[in-house]
Amino acid sequence: MGKPHVLAIPYPAQGHVIPMMEVAQCLANNSVKVTFVNTEFNHRRVMKSFPQTGYKHELLSLVSVPDGLESSEDRNDHGKLAEAMAKVMPGKLEALIEEIKGTQSDEVTCVLTDFFMAGALQLAEKFCIKRAAFLPASVAMLALTINAQKLVDDGIIDSDGTPLTNQLIQLSPSMPEMNPTNFAWACFPDLSMQRIIFQAIIENNKSAKLAERLICNSSYELEPGALTFTPNCSPIGPLLASSRLGKSTGYFWPEDSTCLAWLDQQPTNSVISVAFGSFTVFDAIQFQELALALELTNRPFLWVVRQDITQDIDEAYPVGFKDRFFNQSYIVDKWEVGLGLEKDESGIIRQQEIKNKVEQLLTDKSYKTRAMKLQAKTTASVKEGGCSQKNFHNFVDWIKEN
């Protein structure tokens, strides 16, 4: 009998690849062989940055499959990418499983896919191997996603995902309130793209039901209400490289260490860190307002700016500073570790608003106190005896079962 062998398939976005890579590294540390499948486009980016940022366990292999788009096509066009992947990737993944079966002593025994790539679970069912899904996002987002059809049936959104009301709703009394106009799929100004994404979610929900196990990058300390509402979701987070005494890998961009000398010259806890992920796009006005606000604070700041972080307003998606109701509800209302930003009548968050909120956050020490307490409770869950650690070991035991 060979080693248990997991085929790990992340959604092709930075915020999905890194946490899935952490799961893969932790599985390898527990004597589980892992083949990690990126798209060819992302695989090249990961390997290019790997020598500087990477650590890879010997039981972890990195491979790739096509995503269906040409190398010159825009991967930020989520609708186009979703359609291309749905057409091309199932056949390529099936061929990969067959290739591993024919060339390696350890056949694939489990498919672990990003929840938003649940179509791969149909392949696992076809090959009669174990089926698991991983959620890198909040459990509240999962609760919303799996109830998309119910939202249509209840008249809250139409069949394309367009909100029919702006009244606050709650999926459960123990979960944050949300405004339908801020649903994740409603953030795209292009209605055709929204329609494609929403229909992909509906189809993905059908495939997700095939999962025998569902794990997530969260904890009971962070989302007790959402986890109670979705009891089949098992939290194993927070997934941090420091938790396994390793170094993160899976980055799309090489590490830029040129700022370290400057950082070392700044007083402790004095630098404002600014970053908006790998997809956020600003229109020119909002970008300028943010830059001026940071200057107004008269504090040292480090801002991660991608080359494609700004576009013409008519082309921008999603627009920077688009409120995300779960982030807002959790950070501001539930945990009370941050502040919300208010837009003006033209939909722009002005420099003075940003500057004032930054000053309030940095001068009122209660925010940091609450943040440190939440950090301590959350990280304890992945340590010896913690709930997340127990859940992860239960997951590993399930993978190893014959």
Side-chain angles (χ1 to χ4, degrees):
M1 178 67 90
K3 286 184 178 295
H5 188 171
V6 170
L7 193 71
I9 309 167
Y11 182 85
Q14 184 71 96
H16 293 246
V17 170
I18 288 179
M20 179 68 90
M21 185 68 77
E22 286 301 317
V23 176
Q25 299 271 26
C26 291
L27 288 173
N29 283 343
N30 283 270
S31 302
V32 176
K33 188 174 182 178
V34 181
T35 296
F36 195 94
V37 189
N38 269 314
T39 61
E40 290 179 347
F41 181 82
N42 285 341
H43 181 73
R44 287 193 293 269
R45 302 166 80 187
V46 168
M47 296 311 295
K48 185 177 179 180
S49 67
F50 190 80
Q52 295 182 34
T53 64
Y55 160 78
K56 185 175 76 67
H57 196 284
E58 61 182 6
L59 290 178
L60 175 60
S61 301
L62 307 181
V63 302
S64 64
V65 295
D67 61 13
L69 294 180
E70 297 296 327
S71 58
S72 60
E73 292 186 273
D74 185 9
R75 267 73 183 174
N76 285 340
D77 187 333
H78 304 302
K80 190 174 183 179
L81 178 61
E83 289 184 318
M85 290 193 302
K87 292 177 182 176
V88 171
M89 288 189 69
K92 297 299 182 180
L93 289 170
E94 182 172 356
L96 177 61
I97 293 174
E98 290 284 10
E99 179 185 346
I100 292 173
K101 185 177 181 180
T103 60
Q104 298 187 27
S105 58
D106 302 313
E107 296 182 12
V108 174
T109 58
C110 176
V111 167
L112 173 62
T113 183
D114 190 295
F115 177 85
F116 297 102
M117 296 281 286
L121 297 175
Q122 296 179 30
L123 281 176
E125 184 180 44
K126 178 179 178 179
F127 283 91
C128 299
I129 54 183
K130 294 181 179 181
R131 308 178 299 276
F134 168 62
L135 177 78
S138 69
V139 183
M141 175 64 77
L142 171 69
L144 175 68
T145 301
I146 62 179
N147 281 280
Q149 186 58 55
K150 186 177 186 302
L151 295 172
V152 174
D153 297 340
D154 291 346
I156 296 170
I157 57 177
D158 67 15
S159 59
D160 292 330
T162 301
L164 300 176
T165 177
N166 60 3
Q167 293 184 340
L168 296 178
I169 68 167
Q170 272 185 301
L171 294 175
S172 152
S174 60
M175 289 181 60
E177 290 183 331
M178 59 189 83
N179 189 327
T181 60
N182 288 330
F183 285 171
W185 56 76
C187 70
F188 300 101
D190 184 337
L191 184 58
S192 64
M193 185 183 299
Q194 174 190 297
R195 184 183 302 115
I196 292 170
I197 295 298
F198 185 71
Q199 292 306 317
I201 287 173
I202 295 295
E203 289 302 312
N204 190 78
N205 285 344
K206 298 174 184 177
S207 298
K209 293 177 181 178
L210 295 173
E212 299 172 274
R213 293 289 189 278
L214 174 59
I215 56 174
C216 65
N217 187 17
S218 189
S219 71
Y220 291 113
E221 290 76 16
L222 287 174
E223 299 189 90
L227 285 163
T228 299
F229 185 68
T230 53
N232 64 323
C233 188
S234 181
I236 63 168
L239 292 164
L240 305 169
S242 58
S243 300
R244 57 175 175 81
L245 302 179
K247 193 172 184 180
S248 291
T249 191
Y251 288 104
F252 292 171
W253 294 275
E255 188 177 84
D256 184 355
S257 59
T258 57
C259 63
L260 295 181
W262 174 83
L263 275 173
D264 287 342
Q265 296 171 12
Q266 310 308 314
T268 302
N269 296 328
S270 68
V271 177
I272 300 171
S273 176
V274 187
F276 293 94
S278 58
F279 277 142
T280 301
V281 177
F282 292 88
D283 66 74
I285 297 174
Q286 185 63 83
F287 185 84
Q288 184 179 43
E289 290 293 316
L290 175 58
L292 292 171
L294 291 171
E295 188 175 29
L296 281 175
T297 65
N298 200 31
R299 295 173 182 267
F301 64 87
L302 182 62
W303 185 4
V304 181
V305 180
R306 305 187 324 272
Q307 290 182 339
D308 62 346
I309 201 169
T310 60
Q311 288 187 3
D312 292 336
I313 189 167
D314 291 337
E315 300 176 359
Y317 59 85
V319 176
F321 283 118
K322 170 72 178 177
D323 286 343
R324 292 292 183 266
F325 51 84
F326 293 131
N327 289 346
Q328 177 91 0
S329 297
Y330 278 136
I331 294 172
V332 177
D333 303 324
K334 283 274 187 184
W335 304 330
E336 297 181 298
V337 295
L339 295 167
L341 295 166
E342 300 297 328
K343 299 176 182 178
D344 66 9
E345 62 280 356
S346 62
I348 298 295
I349 302 174
R350 296 297 175 180
Q351 54 188 278
Q352 198 62 46
E353 166 72 358
I354 299 170
K355 185 254 186 186
N356 290 343
K357 292 295 175 64
V358 169
E359 289 295 338
Q360 184 179 343
L361 194 64
L362 295 180
T363 55
D364 186 341
K365 301 303 181 183
S366 66
Y367 289 100
K368 183 175 181 179
T369 299
R370 286 190 291 270
M372 296 300 288
K373 287 181 179 178
L374 184 63
Q375 179 190 45
K377 288 196 301 182
T378 303
T379 54
S381 66
V382 294
K383 295 179 180 178
E384 189 68 35
C387 289
S388 288
Q389 189 197 59
K390 291 178 181 177
N391 288 338
F392 179 74
H393 286 307
N394 288 339
F395 180 61
V396 170
D397 291 342
W398 172 75
I399 289 174
K400 292 181 177 181
E401 290 174 358
N402 293 330

